[in-house]
């Protein structure tokens, strides 16, 4: 009897404790996601010149920050009146995403924020049928298949929402800044896989992702820090974990 | 999204300069000051024909294209009625102007020889013959 009473009181004590904590914190699941880009295949249906297939994976570090890595295969061909151009290759991006939605609202299911990526493109390009006409007459030339490594940076504002449990959809705009095409000044690619038109230093567009997410951990996020304890409390030796600098910082993150 | 992509993929007309020219300044031999010719004719020589590039009364500089189909171009330069022959050697490379305009050919000058009927010296100042419009040769006479 005494043992049962003790367990009962202990359980009530735990419940009381959790109620106190739930006033200021929220449990946020952290996810691992992997998905694919829908915009590339859709664009391929419209334009046969460009085939682009991308996959993306991300891991939540905390309620606001996640790390993303992606890979994309791109094949591009263009035949216009005075040249034909082909390029193909695989690009990789990696970088953080920052979620501006408050943990209390997002609960790990919604994202509205931006990301930064560093991109690396391993690609090949060639041009055939380069026709020229000037005072000397007309001629046709070409340059053979050559391999290059390009670098770019990417800024991606976007949104994401959990459609069903474990299925997330989202789209993002991208603004890419070309660091280097790796092909020199004269032979910048008409289309650099992973980047776009490399004759311009800036490329813009949009991507639409469907991804599958698996929660791997839940974290307790402080959404409303407790008031700073008074001197009287301190003198009484009351320890309040929520007032420590580290936990307040954790609440903002 | 599709609208954005379609806009970014649409082909535009070519408005860029695609003609890489070799630019030459005429200078007075001895002083090195800019000077003008009384008359100036420049022709390119092909195995079968000549191509007229310049025919002017008075000018202090002229611009001519190098033959994009060969690594050597020969010019007749008729300066104030006196003819000289200049042979220019170079390496060619395609250069992407833009997706709309396509490619042109730029050259790196590797050497030149000239007769000296009226030309005192013909020297390379900048060996990159491209679209930037910089002077490539100084012709002293």
């Amino acid at each position: 009897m005494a043992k049962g009473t003790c367990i009962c009181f202990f359980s009530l004590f735990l419940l009381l404790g959790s109620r106190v904590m739930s006033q200021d914190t929220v449990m946020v699941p952290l996810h691992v996601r992997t998905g694919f880009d829908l915009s590339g295949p859709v664009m391929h249906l419209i334009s046969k010149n460009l085939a682009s297939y991308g996959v993306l994976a991300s891991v939540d570090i905390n309620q606001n920050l996640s790390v993303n890595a992606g890979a994309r295969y791109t094949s591009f061909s263009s035949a216009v009146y005075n040249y034909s151009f082909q390029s193909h290759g695989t690009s990789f991006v990696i970088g953080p995403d920052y979620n501006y939605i408050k943990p209390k609202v997002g609960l790990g299911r919604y994202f509205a924020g931006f990301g930064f990526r560093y991109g690396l493109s391993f690609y090949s390009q060639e041009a055939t049928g380069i026709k020229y006409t000037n005072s000397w007459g007309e001629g046709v030339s070409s340059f053979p298949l050559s391999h290059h490594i390009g670098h770019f940076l990417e800024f991606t504002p976007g949104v994401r929402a959990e459609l069903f449990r474990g299925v997330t959809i989202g789209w993002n705009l991208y603004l890419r800044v070309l660091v280097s095409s790796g092909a020199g000044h004269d032979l910048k690619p008409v289309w650099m896989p992973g980047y776009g038109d490399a004759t311009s230093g800036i490329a813009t567009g949009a991507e639409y992702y469907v991804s599958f997410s698996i929660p791997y951990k839940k974290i307790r996020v402080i959404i409303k820090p407790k008031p700073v304890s008074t001197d009287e409390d301190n003198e009484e030796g009351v320890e309040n974990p929520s007032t420590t600098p580290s936990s307040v910082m954790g609440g903002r993150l | 999204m599709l609208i954005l992509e379609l806009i970014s993929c649409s082909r535009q007309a070519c408005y860029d300069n695609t003609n890489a020219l070799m630019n030459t300044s005429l200078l007075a031999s001895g002083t090195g000051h800019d000077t003008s010719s009384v008359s100036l004719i420049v022709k390119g020589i092909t195995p079968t024909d000549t191509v007229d590039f310049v025919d002017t009364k008075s000018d202090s500089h002229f611009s001519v294209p190098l033959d994009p189909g060969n690594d050597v171009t020969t010019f007749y330069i008729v300066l104030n009625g006196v003819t000289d022959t200049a042979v220019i050697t170079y390496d060619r490379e395609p250069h992407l102007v833009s997706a709309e305009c396509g490619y042109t050919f730029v050259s790196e000058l590797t050497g030149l020889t000239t007769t000296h009927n009226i030309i005192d010296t013909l020297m390379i100042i900048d060996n990159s013959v491209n679209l930037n419009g910089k002077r490539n040769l100084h012709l002293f006479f």
Side-chain angles (χ1 to χ4, degrees):
Chain A
M1 179 67 182
K3 187 181 176 184
T5 305
C6 182
I7 290 171
C8 182
F9 270 109
F10 186 67
S11 300
L12 284 172
F13 179 72
L14 285 177
L15 281 172
L16 185 66
S18 65
R19 278 187 63 195
V20 169
M21 291 296 287
S22 67
Q23 291 174 353
D24 302 314
T25 64
V26 62
M27 296 301 292
V28 175
L30 302 182
H31 292 86
V32 176
R33 290 178 206 83
T34 180
F36 57 91
D37 172 35
L38 276 180
S39 61
V42 169
M43 284 308 298
H44 186 50
L45 295 175
I46 297 168
S47 171
K48 297 294 181 189
N49 293 341
L50 178 65
S52 182
Y53 306 100
V55 293
L56 190 71
S58 69
V59 180
D60 291 337
I61 303 301
N62 59 33
Q63 69 275 17
N64 294 120
L65 196 65
S66 60
V67 174
N68 289 258
R72 177 176 293 277
Y73 173 78
T74 306
S75 176
F76 177 82
S77 64
S78 172
V80 293
Y81 69 99
N82 60 351
Y83 71 95
S84 296
F85 174 87
Q86 296 89 36
S87 67
H88 65 271
T90 305
S91 59
F92 301 93
V93 292
I94 188 166
D97 270 354
Y98 189 84
N99 190 355
Y100 262 112
I101 294 184
K102 291 180 179 176
K104 185 181 175 181
V105 179
L107 295 172
R109 295 200 295 263
Y110 305 104
F111 172 91
F114 62 89
F116 286 105
R117 311 264 192 276
Y118 166 70
L120 201 57
S121 177
F122 299 88
Y123 68 97
S124 304
Q125 65 163 343
E126 66 177 325
T128 55
I130 300 173
K131 296 173 186 169
Y132 59 84
T133 304
N134 64 11
S135 307
W136 290 98
E138 296 179 351
V140 180
S141 185
S142 64
F143 70 84
L145 189 70
S146 55
H147 306 281
H148 309 281
I149 300 174
H151 306 261
F152 60 91
L153 300 174
E154 189 175 86
F155 172 66
T156 60
V159 295
R160 186 177 65 223
E162 192 176 74
L163 191 61
F164 310 110
R165 177 178 284 273
V167 178
T168 303
I169 59 169
W171 62 267
N172 57 273
L173 303 173
Y174 61 76
L175 173 71
R176 292 174 183 149
V177 177
L178 183 64
V179 177
S180 167
S181 71
H185 175 69
D186 292 320
L187 294 180
K188 286 180 288 188
V190 174
W191 195 274
M192 187 172 100
Y195 173 78
D197 179 1
T199 60
S200 170
I202 292 177
T204 56
E207 293 170 329
Y208 190 90
Y209 277 93
V210 175
S211 57
F212 305 97
S213 59
I214 301 169
Y216 72 94
K217 183 182 178 184
K218 281 192 174 182
I219 59 169
R220 186 183 300 280
V221 178
I222 300 169
I223 57 173
K224 183 182 175 188
K226 286 191 172 181
V228 177
S229 57
T230 61
D231 292 343
E232 191 178 327
D233 290 339
N234 288 335
E235 284 168 8
E236 288 173 2
V238 176
E239 289 186 9
N240 187 346
S242 66
T243 59
T244 59
S246 61
S247 62
V248 172
M249 183 70 80
R252 288 201 202 101
L253 290 175
Chain B
M1 180 194 73
L2 292 178
I3 292 170
L4 282 173
E5 289 286 343
L6 287 171
I7 289 169
S8 67
C9 290
S10 62
R11 290 283 175 201
Q12 305 292 320
C14 172
Y15 298 110
D16 297 312
N17 173 27
T18 61
N19 205 9
L21 297 173
M22 184 179 70
N23 303 300
T24 305
S25 293
L26 303 183
L27 303 170
S29 187
T31 64
H33 293 149
D34 290 344
T35 188
S36 295
S37 60
V38 175
S39 66
L40 176 65
I41 296 170
V42 181
K43 295 183 177 185
I45 309 301
T46 71
T48 57
D49 204 355
T50 60
V51 183
D52 295 337
F53 289 117
V54 179
D55 188 352
T56 181
K57 287 294 180 188
S58 176
D59 218 333
S60 61
H61 61 88
F62 63 90
S63 300
V64 290
L66 296 170
D67 183 355
N70 289 293
D71 291 332
V72 180
T73 298
T74 303
F75 293 102
Y76 285 156
I77 301 173
V78 186
L79 193 56
N80 298 343
V82 180
T83 302
D84 271 308
T85 303
V87 180
I88 315 290
T89 56
Y90 48 90
D91 294 326
R92 293 164 291 146
E93 189 176 21
H95 167 81
L96 180 68
V97 178
S98 66
E100 294 77 24
C101 297
Y103 293 85
T104 187
F105 283 86
V106 295
S107 306
E108 288 289 311
L109 301 179
T110 55
L112 62 81
T113 57
T114 181
T115 58
H116 297 283
N117 297 319
I118 189 169
I119 294 174
D120 182 26
T121 307
L122 186 59
M123 61 191 299
I124 297 171
I125 302 302
D126 182 347
N127 61 3
S128 296
V129 179
N130 49 38
L131 301 170
N132 67 9
K134 288 184 178 175
R135 291 282 182 267
N136 300 109
L137 302 181
H138 278 177
L139 190 159
F140 294 89
F141 71 100

